Each structure stands twice: as structure tokens, then as C-alpha cells.
Amino acid sequence: MPDSTSSAGDALPAAIDRTDDRPVYVIGGGPGGLAAAAALRARGVRAVVLERSQDVGASWRSHYDRLHLHTIRRWSALPGLAIPRRFGRWVSRDDMVRYLEKYAEHHELEVVTGVEVSRIDRVADGSGWRLSATGGRVLTGRAVVVATGFNHTPRIPEWPGRAGFTGELVHAAEYRAPAPYAGKDVLVAGIGNTGAEIAVDLVEGGAAQVRIAVRTVPHIVRRSTAGWPAQATAVLVRRLPVRLVDRAGDLMGRISVPDLSAQGLPRPDTGLYSRVREGAIPVQDVGLIDAVRSGRVVPVAAVESFDGDAVVLADGSRVTPDAVIAATGYERALEGLVGHLGVLDARGRPVVHGGRAPEQAPGLYFTGFTNPISGMLREIALDARRIAAKLAAKG
């Protein structure tokens, strides 16, 4: 069995009355922020969630319509409330939003919406943190949990000629459904999980031609095999030596995933877990394999530049799609918030997360900025408990 030292849906510990009335401010009303607030509240620590939008789970509300979790319901729940069985094994976007709303209500969380924090500074005497927020607000808390999200700010590369492209160019964050692209020629730039799923959605929604631009060939895994979810395997192997997991991943890939080299999608030449350690999560198959094998989704070289109505690819070829959907990822966008504190690495990500605070910034915690192979929501649930335990111990 996978480890379950703090199973996400288990009951939280009984609340403890505390005398310290200074709140812990939690920045972000998504899963990471709500989980941290609930775990803190259960330990008698007042937590105030600050959410820049008007609702909890804002990023989930804006995802494309067909989105379902790639992690199973049981291991996607947050501390103290299971996801209802009626939501199925692979929870939909809409049901995830319902769950987050219910979660905030169930735990009676103190959520303040319409407040965006722009900067965090240490209080002069070192006793807490000062937050600068919209409307000229200045808030002071005993500690801060930053949970603004892995997918915070859409990123589109500065491709040469991009501004002069005469077709439609949008980030995947703006994509909702395939209907506007029915009968059109569409190029999806990027073959991560988002790009792969959007490409399949476009095909099933009636797009005339769908290409997917590939810079680095991904590892593709089945979401489940004979009822066994890929997430369960990921939880089991995540602490094993990288080389061993790479070998096992290669063997399983050859058994479960057909060779798509003839269709322009060869097998990767680097190990699955080695790539995960570099930040590249495998693509879970939700129809991509069949779509590529049947020629309904055509892999092409990476986008290099734009030239009028044409997209120039890395192999020198040119295509003229009606629309380009850039599934090119997101920025964490933490520099303005905490960049001056020396708590980010060269890629703009927190140097530590979960129950560990940066050495130079005690009382400052981060959650939701990693995307482990074992599942982000599962990691968020574990982080919440660790953060709460650490802050409760500090009194």
C-alpha cells in the first residue's frame, strides 16, 4: 500500500484553543490555501484566506470544460473532507469547484475575496509579516502561507513575428471548448497534459485539422491499466532510485504504449523519472495515443517564429493554421511578492515548501508550487498538515 501518513480525506485533529489572536494570512483561495487554512483552524490557529478574485477555486473555474483530474478521487481530497463518491473516480472540473466551495463552508473558513496582496515584508521587530494589498491595505500577521498557485500567470514565448500573426493566437488558459474551432485548422503549441488534452478535444469537437507542436517528446502513460491508476504506481516508486524507476518506466511504456515513431512521436530518449526530476510530468493518455495513431492529431516540430499567416517550425517547414493555441505553461509570478526576500531559486520557484520555511524568512511558508509525480493535490494535503503542525508548535 502507498504511504498514507496523513490521508487527505481523514478527519483533522480536534481544535485547540489558543490565546494568540494574530492571524496567519493565507494568500490564495485555491486548494492549497483552503487546505492550509483548514488544517490551521483545526489546531486552533486563526487563518485568514486572502483571495484576489470573488470566489474560491478561481483557477479551477477557468479551466477548459472537459477537464477531469488525472489523480483518483481518494487521493485528491483535502484534509478533513472526502470528495463525494458520486463525483466518480476522475473528478470533473465542475465537481472540483463544487467540492472547494463545500470545503470552505464545511470548515467555516475565514475567506476574504477581492483582495490581492502585492508584497510581503518582515515586520521591523521580526515578530511577524506585513502584507501590502489592494485598496492601500496593510495587514500584519504572525505568519504567512503563500498559495497563489502553480498555474498563476499564462506564459506565451516571445516568438519572433508573433505580433504580426494574422490568425488567432491564444493561450491555453483562454480555451474552454472546441465549438469555436469546428471546421478550422488548429495548431496546438506544446504537448504537456494540457496541450495533449486540448488537441483531443479539438478533434472530437470537429476541428478540420489538428497539429500539435512538439519541442521535447514526452513520456506518455496510461491513466490506469486494468483498473490500477498510474498515480498509485507513482506513489509507490517516488522514493526509489531514479535509475531503477527509469528502467521500470521504459519497460512499462513499451508494454502499454504503442510505438508512434511513424506518426512523428518517437519514444523519449531520456528516462521517465529523470524527466520528472527536471520538472517534466508524463502525459496521461486521455485519447492522444489513438488520435495520433489514426492521424487525427498530427505531431509537428516546435514553433520557432511567425511570418504573417504562417507559423515557421523548427525543421524549417511552414504551416498556415487558422488558430494557434499556446499550451506553453505558466509563470509562478512570485518575484513581486517575495522576490526581494531571497526565497526563490533561479527559476522563480520557492527554495523550500510545505512545513519548512526559508532559513532567512522564518514564518513564511509555501504550498502548491511543486507538481510531483504522485499528484499535486495529494502533496498539497500533506503540506497543509505539516505547515499547521509547525505553526501550532510555535504557539
Side-chain angles (χ1 to χ4, degrees), residues 89-177:
R89 195 180 202 194
W90 313 105
V91 180
S92 72
R93 177 203 65 183
D94 290 347
D95 282 339
M96 190 65 189
V97 170
R98 294 185 185 99
Y99 171 70
L100 294 176
E101 292 173 339
K102 180 63 177 177
Y103 190 84
E105 176 188 344
H106 175 79
H107 289 296
E108 300 180 340
L109 301 183
E110 192 173 347
V111 180
V112 182
T113 60
V115 175
E116 182 171 11
V117 178
S118 57
R119 184 181 170 97
I120 302 172
D121 290 288
R122 195 77 185 272
V123 172
D125 64 4
S127 64
W129 293 90
R130 185 177 70 251
L131 287 66
S132 301
T134 49
R137 295 178 179 88
V138 177
L139 309 170
T140 303
R142 57 175 288 206
V144 177
V145 180
V146 180
T148 49
F150 193 84
N151 296 337
H152 186 275
T153 303
R155 177 179 60 83
I156 298 181
E158 292 293 336
W159 288 306
R162 188 184 84 178
F165 179 53
T166 58
E168 177 186 356
L169 172 61
V170 299
H171 190 272
E174 300 176 62
Y175 178 86
R176 295 292 177 273

Coordinates of all heavy atoms in Angstrom, one line a residue, residues 89-177:
R89 N -14.5 8.4 -10.1 CA -13.1 8.2 -9.9 C -12.2 9.4 -10.3 O -11.3 9.7 -9.7 CB -12.6 6.9 -10.6 CG -11.3 6.4 -10.0 CD -10.9 5.2 -10.7 NE -9.9 4.4 -9.9 CZ -9.2 3.4 -10.3 NH1 -9.3 3.0 -11.6 NH2 -8.3 2.8 -9.5
W90 N -12.6 9.9 -11.5 CA -11.8 11.0 -12.1 C -12.7 12.3 -12.0 O -13.6 12.4 -12.8 CB -11.4 10.7 -13.5 CG -10.8 9.4 -13.7 CD1 -11.4 8.3 -14.2 CD2 -9.5 8.9 -13.2 NE1 -10.6 7.2 -14.2 CE2 -9.4 7.6 -13.6 CE3 -8.4 9.6 -12.6 CZ2 -8.2 6.8 -13.3 CZ3 -7.3 8.8 -12.4 CH2 -7.2 7.5 -12.7
V91 N -12.5 13.1 -11.0 CA -13.4 14.2 -10.7 C -13.3 15.3 -11.8 O -12.2 15.7 -12.3 CB -13.0 14.9 -9.4 CG1 -13.9 16.0 -9.0 CG2 -13.0 13.8 -8.3
S92 N -14.5 15.8 -12.2 CA -14.6 16.8 -13.3 C -14.2 18.2 -12.7 O -14.2 18.4 -11.5 CB -16.0 16.8 -13.9 OG -16.9 17.4 -13.0
R93 N -14.0 19.1 -13.7 CA -13.7 20.5 -13.3 C -14.9 21.1 -12.4 O -14.7 21.6 -11.4 CB -13.5 21.4 -14.5 CG -13.3 22.8 -14.2 CD -13.6 23.7 -15.4 NE -15.1 23.6 -15.7 CZ -15.6 24.2 -16.8 NH1 -14.9 24.9 -17.6 NH2 -16.9 24.1 -17.0
D94 N -16.1 20.9 -12.9 CA -17.2 21.5 -12.2 C -17.4 20.9 -10.8 O -17.8 21.6 -9.9 CB -18.5 21.3 -13.1 CG -18.5 22.2 -14.3 OD1 -17.6 23.1 -14.4 OD2 -19.4 22.0 -15.2
D95 N -17.2 19.6 -10.7 CA -17.4 18.9 -9.4 C -16.2 19.4 -8.5 O -16.4 19.5 -7.3 CB -17.4 17.4 -9.6 CG -18.7 16.9 -10.1 OD1 -19.7 17.6 -9.9 OD2 -18.8 15.8 -10.6
M96 N -15.0 19.6 -9.0 CA -14.0 20.1 -8.2 C -14.3 21.5 -7.6 O -14.0 21.7 -6.4 CB -12.6 20.1 -9.0 CG -11.4 20.4 -8.1 SD -11.1 19.0 -7.0 CE -9.9 19.7 -5.9
V97 N -14.9 22.3 -8.4 CA -15.3 23.6 -8.0 C -16.3 23.5 -6.8 O -16.3 24.2 -5.8 CB -15.8 24.5 -9.1 CG1 -16.5 25.8 -8.6 CG2 -14.7 24.9 -10.1
R98 N -17.3 22.6 -7.1 CA -18.3 22.3 -6.0 C -17.7 21.9 -4.7 O -18.1 22.3 -3.6 CB -19.3 21.3 -6.5 CG -20.2 21.8 -7.7 CD -21.3 20.8 -8.0 NE -22.0 21.2 -9.2 CZ -21.8 20.7 -10.4 NH1 -20.8 19.8 -10.6 NH2 -22.5 21.1 -11.5
Y99 N -16.7 21.0 -4.9 CA -16.0 20.5 -3.7 C -15.3 21.6 -2.9 O -15.3 21.7 -1.7 CB -15.0 19.4 -4.1 CG -14.1 18.9 -3.0 CD1 -14.6 18.2 -1.9 CD2 -12.8 19.2 -3.0 CE1 -13.8 17.7 -0.9 CE2 -11.9 18.8 -2.0 CZ -12.4 18.1 -0.9 OH -11.6 17.7 0.1
L100 N -14.6 22.5 -3.6 CA -13.8 23.5 -3.0 C -14.8 24.5 -2.3 O -14.5 25.0 -1.2 CB -13.0 24.3 -4.0 CG -11.8 23.5 -4.6 CD1 -11.1 24.3 -5.7 CD2 -10.9 23.0 -3.6
E101 N -15.9 24.8 -2.9 CA -16.9 25.6 -2.2 C -17.4 25.0 -1.0 O -17.6 25.6 0.1 CB -18.1 25.9 -3.2 CG -17.8 26.8 -4.4 CD -18.9 26.9 -5.4 OE1 -19.8 26.0 -5.4 OE2 -18.9 27.8 -6.2
K102 N -17.8 23.7 -1.1 CA -18.2 23.0 0.1 C -17.2 22.9 1.2 O -17.5 23.0 2.4 CB -18.7 21.6 -0.3 CG -19.2 20.7 0.8 CD -20.5 21.3 1.4 CE -21.0 20.4 2.5 NZ -22.2 21.0 3.2
Y103 N -15.9 22.7 0.8 CA -14.8 22.6 1.7 C -14.7 23.9 2.6 O -14.6 23.8 3.8 CB -13.5 22.4 0.9 CG -12.3 22.0 1.8 CD1 -12.1 20.7 2.2 CD2 -11.4 23.0 2.2 CE1 -11.1 20.3 3.0 CE2 -10.3 22.6 3.0 CZ -10.2 21.3 3.4 OH -9.1 20.9 4.2
A104 N -14.7 25.1 1.9 CA -14.7 26.3 2.7 C -15.8 26.5 3.6 O -15.7 26.9 4.8 CB -14.6 27.5 1.7
E105 N -17.0 26.0 3.2 CA -18.2 26.1 4.0 C -18.1 25.1 5.2 O -18.4 25.5 6.3 CB -19.5 25.8 3.2 CG -20.8 25.8 3.9 CD -21.9 25.3 3.1 OE1 -21.8 25.3 1.8 OE2 -23.0 25.0 3.7
H106 N -17.7 23.9 4.9 CA -17.7 22.8 5.9 C -16.7 23.2 7.0 O -17.1 23.0 8.2 CB -17.2 21.5 5.2 CG -17.0 20.4 6.2 ND1 -18.0 19.6 6.7 CD2 -15.9 19.9 6.7 CE1 -17.5 18.7 7.5 NE2 -16.2 18.8 7.5
H107 N -15.6 23.8 6.7 CA -14.6 24.1 7.7 C -14.8 25.5 8.3 O -14.0 26.0 9.1 CB -13.2 23.9 7.2 CG -12.8 22.5 6.9 ND1 -12.7 21.6 8.0 CD2 -12.5 21.8 5.8 CE1 -12.3 20.4 7.5 NE2 -12.2 20.5 6.2
E108 N -15.8 26.2 7.8 CA -16.1 27.6 8.3 C -14.9 28.4 8.1 O -14.5 29.2 9.1 CB -16.7 27.5 9.7 CG -17.9 26.7 9.8 CD -18.5 26.7 11.3 OE1 -17.7 27.0 12.2 OE2 -19.7 26.4 11.5
L109 N -14.3 28.4 7.0 CA -13.0 29.2 6.8 C -13.3 30.7 6.6 O -14.3 31.1 6.1 CB -12.3 28.7 5.5 CG -11.9 27.2 5.5 CD1 -11.2 26.8 4.3 CD2 -11.1 26.8 6.8
E110 N -12.4 31.4 7.1 CA -12.5 32.9 7.1 C -11.8 33.3 5.7 O -10.6 33.4 5.7 CB -11.8 33.5 8.3 CG -12.0 35.0 8.5 CD -11.4 35.5 9.8 OE1 -11.0 34.7 10.6 OE2 -11.3 36.7 9.9
V111 N -12.6 33.6 4.7 CA -12.1 33.9 3.4 C -12.5 35.3 3.0 O -13.7 35.7 3.1 CB -12.7 32.9 2.3 CG1 -12.1 33.3 1.0 CG2 -12.3 31.5 2.7
V112 N -11.6 36.1 2.7 CA -11.8 37.5 2.2 C -11.5 37.6 0.8 O -10.4 37.4 0.3 CB -11.0 38.5 3.0 CG1 -11.3 39.9 2.6 CG2 -11.2 38.3 4.5
T113 N -12.5 37.8 0.0 CA -12.3 37.9 -1.5 C -12.1 39.3 -2.0 O -12.3 40.3 -1.3 CB -13.5 37.3 -2.2 OG1 -14.7 38.0 -1.9 CG2 -13.7 35.8 -1.8
G114 N -11.6 39.4 -3.2 CA -11.4 40.7 -3.8 C -10.2 41.5 -3.2 O -10.1 42.7 -3.4
V115 N -9.3 40.7 -2.6 CA -8.1 41.3 -2.0 C -6.8 40.7 -2.6 O -6.7 39.5 -2.5 CB -8.0 41.2 -0.5 CG1 -6.7 41.7 0.1 CG2 -9.2 41.9 0.2
E116 N -6.0 41.4 -3.3 CA -4.8 40.9 -3.9 C -3.6 41.5 -3.1 O -3.5 42.7 -3.0 CB -4.7 41.3 -5.4 CG -3.5 40.7 -6.0 CD -3.5 40.9 -7.5 OE1 -4.3 41.7 -8.0 OE2 -2.6 40.3 -8.2
V117 N -2.7 40.6 -2.7 CA -1.5 41.0 -2.0 C -0.4 41.2 -3.0 O -0.2 40.4 -3.8 CB -1.1 39.9 -0.9 CG1 0.2 40.3 -0.2 CG2 -2.2 39.7 0.1
S118 N 0.2 42.4 -2.9 CA 1.3 42.7 -3.9 C 2.7 42.5 -3.4 O 3.6 42.4 -4.1 CB 1.1 44.1 -4.4 OG 1.1 45.0 -3.3
R119 N 2.8 42.6 -2.0 CA 4.2 42.5 -1.5 C 4.1 42.0 0.0 O 3.2 42.4 0.7 CB 4.9 43.9 -1.5 CG 6.3 43.9 -1.1 CD 6.9 45.3 -1.2 NE 8.2 45.4 -0.5 CZ 9.4 45.3 -1.1 NH1 9.4 45.1 -2.5 NH2 10.5 45.4 -0.5
I120 N 5.1 41.2 0.4 CA 5.2 40.7 1.7 C 6.6 41.2 2.3 O 7.6 41.0 1.6 CB 5.2 39.2 1.8 CG1 3.9 38.7 1.2 CG2 5.3 38.7 3.2 CD1 3.8 37.2 1.0
D121 N 6.6 41.8 3.5 CA 7.8 42.3 4.1 C 7.8 41.8 5.6 O 6.7 41.6 6.2 CB 7.9 43.8 4.1 CG 8.1 44.3 2.7 OD1 9.2 44.1 2.2 OD2 7.2 44.9 2.1
R122 N 9.0 41.7 6.1 CA 9.1 41.3 7.5 C 8.8 42.5 8.4 O 9.2 43.7 8.1 CB 10.6 40.8 7.8 CG 10.8 40.1 9.1 CD 10.2 38.7 9.0 NE 10.3 38.0 10.3 CZ 11.4 37.4 10.7 NH1 12.5 37.3 10.0 NH2 11.3 36.8 11.9
V123 N 8.1 42.3 9.5 CA 7.8 43.4 10.4 C 9.2 43.8 11.0 O 10.1 43.0 11.2 CB 6.9 42.9 11.5 CG1 6.8 44.0 12.6 CG2 5.5 42.7 10.9
A124 N 9.4 45.1 11.3 CA 10.7 45.6 11.7 C 11.3 44.9 12.9 O 12.5 44.6 13.0 CB 10.6 47.1 12.0
D125 N 10.4 44.5 13.9 CA 10.9 43.8 15.1 C 11.1 42.3 14.9 O 11.4 41.6 15.8 CB 10.1 44.1 16.3 CG 8.6 43.6 16.1 OD1 8.3 42.9 15.1 OD2 7.8 43.9 17.0
G126 N 10.7 41.8 13.7 CA 10.9 40.4 13.4 C 9.8 39.5 13.9 O 9.9 38.3 13.9
S127 N 8.7 40.1 14.5 CA 7.7 39.3 15.1 C 6.6 38.8 14.2 O 5.7 38.0 14.6 CB 7.0 40.1 16.2 OG 6.4 41.2 15.7
G128 N 6.7 39.2 12.9 CA 5.6 38.8 12.0 C 5.9 39.3 10.6 O 7.0 39.7 10.3
W129 N 4.8 39.4 9.8 CA 4.9 39.8 8.4 C 3.9 40.9 8.1 O 2.8 40.8 8.6 CB 4.7 38.6 7.5 CG 5.9 37.6 7.7 CD1 5.9 36.6 8.6 CD2 7.1 37.6 7.0 NE1 7.1 35.9 8.4 CE2 7.9 36.5 7.5 CE3 7.6 38.4 6.0 CZ2 9.1 36.3 7.0 CZ3 8.9 38.2 5.5 CH2 9.6 37.1 6.0
R130 N 4.3 41.8 7.3 CA 3.4 42.9 6.8 C 3.1 42.7 5.4 O 3.9 42.4 4.5 CB 4.1 44.2 7.0 CG 3.2 45.4 6.6 CD 3.9 46.7 6.9 NE 4.9 47.0 5.9 CZ 6.2 47.0 6.2 NH1 6.6 46.7 7.5 NH2 7.1 47.2 5.3
L131 N 1.8 42.7 5.0 CA 1.3 42.5 3.7 C 0.7 43.8 3.1 O -0.1 44.4 3.8 CB 0.2 41.4 3.7 CG 0.6 39.9 3.9 CD1 1.1 39.7 5.3 CD2 -0.6 39.0 3.7
S132 N 1.2 44.1 2.0 CA 0.6 45.3 1.2 C -0.4 44.7 0.2 O -0.1 43.9 -0.6 CB 1.8 46.0 0.5 OG 2.7 46.5 1.4
A133 N -1.6 45.3 0.3 CA -2.7 44.7 -0.5 C -3.5 45.8 -1.2 O -3.2 47.0 -1.0 CB -3.6 43.8 0.3
T134 N -4.4 45.4 -2.0 CA -5.2 46.3 -2.8 C -6.0 47.3 -1.9 O -6.3 46.9 -0.7 CB -6.2 45.6 -3.7 OG1 -6.9 44.6 -2.9 CG2 -5.6 44.9 -4.8
G135 N -6.3 48.5 -2.4 CA -7.0 49.4 -1.6 C -6.2 50.1 -0.5 O -6.7 50.7 0.4
G136 N -4.9 50.0 -0.6 CA -4.0 50.6 0.4 C -3.9 49.8 1.7 O -3.4 50.3 2.7
R137 N -4.5 48.6 1.7 CA -4.5 47.8 2.9 C -3.1 47.5 3.3 O -2.2 47.1 2.5 CB -5.3 46.6 2.8 CG -6.8 46.8 2.5 CD -7.5 45.4 2.3 NE -8.9 45.5 2.1 CZ -9.4 45.6 0.9 NH1 -8.6 45.7 -0.2 NH2 -10.7 45.6 0.7
V138 N -2.8 47.5 4.6 CA -1.6 47.0 5.2 C -2.0 46.0 6.3 O -2.6 46.5 7.3 CB -0.7 48.1 5.7 CG1 0.6 47.5 6.4 CG2 -0.3 49.0 4.6
L139 N -1.7 44.8 6.2 CA -2.1 43.7 7.1 C -0.9 43.1 7.8 O 0.2 42.9 7.1 CB -2.9 42.6 6.4 CG -4.0 43.1 5.5 CD1 -4.6 42.0 4.6 CD2 -5.2 43.7 6.3
T140 N -1.0 42.8 9.0 CA 0.1 42.2 9.8 C -0.3 40.9 10.4 O -1.4 40.8 11.1 CB 0.6 43.2 10.9 OG1 0.9 44.4 10.3 CG2 1.8 42.6 11.6
G141 N 0.5 39.9 10.1 CA 0.1 38.5 10.7 C 1.3 37.9 11.3 O 2.5 38.3 11.1
R142 N 1.1 36.9 12.1 CA 2.2 36.2 12.8 C 3.0 35.3 11.8 O 4.2 35.1 12.0 CB 1.6 35.3 13.9 CG 0.6 34.3 13.5 CD 0.2 33.4 14.6 NE 1.2 32.4 14.9 CZ 1.0 31.2 15.5 NH1 -0.2 30.9 15.8 NH2 2.0 30.4 15.8
A143 N 2.3 34.9 10.7 CA 3.0 34.1 9.7 C 2.2 34.2 8.4 O 1.1 34.7 8.4 CB 3.1 32.6 10.1
V144 N 2.8 33.8 7.3 CA 2.1 33.9 6.0 C 2.3 32.5 5.3 O 3.4 32.0 5.3 CB 2.7 35.0 5.1 CG1 2.1 35.0 3.8 CG2 2.5 36.4 5.8
V145 N 1.3 32.1 4.7 CA 1.3 30.9 3.8 C 1.0 31.4 2.4 O -0.1 31.9 2.1 CB 0.3 29.8 4.2 CG1 0.4 28.6 3.2 CG2 0.6 29.4 5.6
V146 N 1.9 31.2 1.5 CA 1.7 31.7 0.1 C 1.2 30.5 -0.7 O 1.9 29.5 -0.8 CB 3.0 32.2 -0.5 CG1 2.8 32.7 -2.0 CG2 3.6 33.4 0.3
A147 N 0.0 30.6 -1.2 CA -0.6 29.5 -2.0 C -1.3 30.1 -3.3 O -2.4 29.8 -3.6 CB -1.6 28.8 -1.1
T148 N -0.5 30.9 -4.0 CA -1.1 31.6 -5.1 C -1.1 30.7 -6.4 O -1.7 31.1 -7.4 CB -0.2 32.9 -5.5 OG1 1.1 32.5 -5.5 CG2 -0.5 33.9 -4.4
G149 N -0.6 29.5 -6.3 CA -0.8 28.6 -7.4 C 0.3 28.3 -8.3 O 1.1 29.2 -8.7
F150 N 0.4 27.1 -8.8 CA 1.4 26.6 -9.8 C 1.1 27.3 -11.1 O 2.0 27.7 -11.8 CB 1.3 25.1 -9.9 CG 2.5 24.5 -10.6 CD1 3.7 24.2 -9.9 CD2 2.4 24.2 -12.0 CE1 4.8 23.6 -10.6 CE2 3.5 23.6 -12.6 CZ 4.7 23.3 -11.9
N151 N -0.1 27.4 -11.5 CA -0.5 28.0 -12.7 C -1.1 29.4 -12.5 O -2.3 29.6 -12.5 CB -1.6 27.1 -13.4 CG -1.0 25.7 -13.8 OD1 0.2 25.6 -13.9 ND2 -1.9 24.8 -14.0
H152 N -0.2 30.3 -12.3 CA -0.7 31.7 -11.9 C -0.8 32.6 -13.1 O -1.9 33.2 -13.3 CB 0.3 32.3 -10.9 CG -0.1 33.6 -10.3 ND1 0.1 34.8 -10.9 CD2 -0.8 33.9 -9.1 CE1 -0.4 35.8 -10.2 NE2 -0.9 35.2 -9.1
T153 N 0.2 32.8 -13.9 CA 0.2 33.7 -15.0 C 0.5 33.0 -16.3 O 1.6 32.5 -16.4 CB 1.2 34.9 -14.7 OG1 0.9 35.5 -13.4 CG2 1.2 35.9 -15.8
P154 N -0.4 33.0 -17.2 CA -0.1 32.4 -18.5 C 1.1 32.9 -19.2 O 1.4 34.1 -19.2 CB -1.4 32.7 -19.3 CG -2.5 32.9 -18.3 CD -1.8 33.6 -17.2
R155 N 1.9 32.0 -19.8 CA 3.1 32.4 -20.5 C 3.1 32.0 -21.9 O 2.9 30.8 -22.2 CB 4.3 31.8 -19.8 CG 5.7 32.1 -20.5 CD 6.8 31.4 -19.7 NE 6.7 29.9 -19.7 CZ 7.0 29.1 -20.7 NH1 7.5 29.6 -21.8 NH2 6.8 27.8 -20.5
I156 N 3.3 33.0 -22.8 CA 3.5 32.7 -24.2 C 4.9 33.2 -24.6 O 5.2 34.3 -24.4 CB 2.4 33.4 -25.1 CG1 1.0 33.0 -24.7 CG2 2.7 33.2 -26.6 CD1 -0.1 33.6 -25.6
P157 N 5.7 32.3 -25.2 CA 7.0 32.7 -25.6 C 7.0 33.9 -26.5 O 6.1 34.1 -27.3 CB 7.5 31.4 -26.3 CG 6.7 30.3 -25.8 CD 5.4 30.9 -25.6
E158 N 8.1 34.6 -26.5 CA 8.3 35.8 -27.4 C 8.7 35.3 -28.7 O 9.8 35.7 -29.2 CB 9.2 36.8 -26.8 CG 8.7 37.5 -25.5 CD 7.5 38.4 -25.8 OE1 7.4 38.9 -26.9 OE2 6.8 38.7 -24.9
W159 N 7.9 34.6 -29.4 CA 8.3 34.1 -30.7 C 8.4 35.2 -31.7 O 7.6 36.2 -31.7 CB 7.2 33.2 -31.3 CG 7.1 31.8 -30.6 CD1 8.0 30.9 -30.5 CD2 5.9 31.2 -30.1 NE1 7.6 29.8 -29.9 CE2 6.2 29.9 -29.6 CE3 4.5 31.6 -29.9 CZ2 5.3 29.1 -29.0 CZ3 3.6 30.8 -29.3 CH2 4.0 29.5 -28.9
P160 N 9.5 35.3 -32.5 CA 9.7 36.3 -33.5 C 8.5 36.4 -34.4 O 8.0 35.3 -34.9 CB 10.9 35.9 -34.2 CG 11.7 35.1 -33.3 CD 10.7 34.4 -32.5
G161 N 8.0 37.6 -34.7 CA 6.8 37.7 -35.6 C 5.5 37.5 -35.0 O 4.5 37.6 -35.7
R162 N 5.5 37.2 -33.7 CA 4.2 36.8 -33.1 C 3.1 37.9 -33.2 O 2.0 37.7 -33.5 CB 4.5 36.5 -31.6 CG 3.3 36.0 -30.8 CD 3.6 35.8 -29.3 NE 3.4 37.1 -28.6 CZ 3.6 37.2 -27.3 NH1 4.0 36.2 -26.6 NH2 3.4 38.4 -26.7
A163 N 3.6 39.2 -33.0 CA 2.6 40.3 -33.0 C 2.0 40.5 -34.4 O 0.8 41.0 -34.5 CB 3.3 41.6 -32.6
G164 N 2.6 40.0 -35.5 CA 2.1 40.2 -36.8 C 1.3 39.0 -37.4 O 0.9 39.0 -38.5
F165 N 1.1 38.0 -36.5 CA 0.4 36.8 -37.0 C -1.0 37.2 -37.3 O -1.7 37.8 -36.5 CB 0.5 35.7 -35.9 CG -0.3 34.5 -36.3 CD1 0.0 33.8 -37.5 CD2 -1.2 33.9 -35.4 CE1 -0.7 32.6 -37.8 CE2 -1.9 32.8 -35.7 CZ -1.6 32.1 -36.9
T166 N -1.5 36.8 -38.5 CA -2.8 37.2 -38.9 C -3.9 36.2 -38.5 O -5.1 36.5 -38.6 CB -2.9 37.4 -40.4 OG1 -2.5 36.1 -41.1 CG2 -1.9 38.5 -40.9
G167 N -3.5 35.1 -38.0 CA -4.5 34.2 -37.5 C -4.8 34.5 -36.0 O -4.4 35.5 -35.4
E168 N -5.5 33.6 -35.3 CA -5.8 33.7 -33.9 C -4.8 33.0 -33.1 O -4.4 31.9 -33.4 CB -7.2 33.1 -33.6 CG -7.6 33.1 -32.2 CD -8.9 32.3 -31.9 OE1 -9.5 31.8 -32.8 OE2 -9.2 32.2 -30.7
L169 N -4.3 33.7 -32.1 CA -3.3 33.2 -31.2 C -3.8 33.4 -29.7 O -4.0 34.6 -29.3 CB -1.9 33.9 -31.3 CG -0.9 33.5 -30.3 CD1 -0.5 32.0 -30.3 CD2 0.4 34.4 -30.5
V170 N -4.0 32.3 -29.0 CA -4.5 32.4 -27.6 C -3.7 31.5 -26.8 O -3.1 30.5 -27.2 CB -6.0 32.1 -27.5 CG1 -6.8 33.1 -28.3 CG2 -6.3 30.7 -27.9
H171 N -3.6 31.8 -25.5 CA -3.0 30.8 -24.5 C -4.0 29.8 -24.2 O -5.3 30.0 -24.2 CB -2.5 31.6 -23.3 CG -1.7 30.7 -22.4 ND1 -2.3 29.9 -21.4 CD2 -0.4 30.5 -22.3 CE1 -1.3 29.3 -20.7 NE2 -0.1 29.6 -21.3
A172 N -3.6 28.6 -23.8 CA -4.5 27.5 -23.4 C -5.4 27.9 -22.3 O -6.5 27.4 -22.1 CB -3.7 26.3 -23.0
A173 N -5.0 28.9 -21.4 CA -5.8 29.4 -20.3 C -7.1 30.0 -20.8 O -8.1 30.1 -20.1 CB -5.1 30.4 -19.5
E174 N -7.1 30.5 -22.1 CA -8.3 31.1 -22.7 C -9.2 30.0 -23.4 O -10.4 30.4 -23.8 CB -8.0 32.2 -23.7 CG -7.1 33.3 -23.1 CD -6.7 34.3 -24.1 OE1 -7.6 34.9 -24.8 OE2 -5.5 34.4 -24.4
Y175 N -8.7 28.8 -23.5 CA -9.5 27.8 -24.2 C -10.6 27.2 -23.3 O -10.3 26.9 -22.2 CB -8.6 26.7 -24.7 CG -9.3 25.6 -25.4 CD1 -9.6 25.6 -26.8 CD2 -9.7 24.4 -24.7 CE1 -10.3 24.6 -27.4 CE2 -10.4 23.4 -25.3 CZ -10.7 23.5 -26.7 OH -11.3 22.4 -27.3
R176 N -11.8 27.1 -23.8 CA -12.8 26.5 -23.0 C -13.4 25.2 -23.6 O -13.6 24.2 -23.0 CB -14.0 27.5 -22.8 CG -13.6 28.7 -21.9 CD -13.3 28.3 -20.5 NE -12.8 29.5 -19.8 CZ -11.6 29.9 -19.7 NH1 -10.6 29.2 -20.3 NH2 -11.2 31.0 -19.0
A177 N -13.7 25.3 -24.9 CA -14.4 24.2 -25.6 C -14.1 24.3 -27.1 O -13.6 25.3 -27.6 CB -15.9 24.4 -25.4

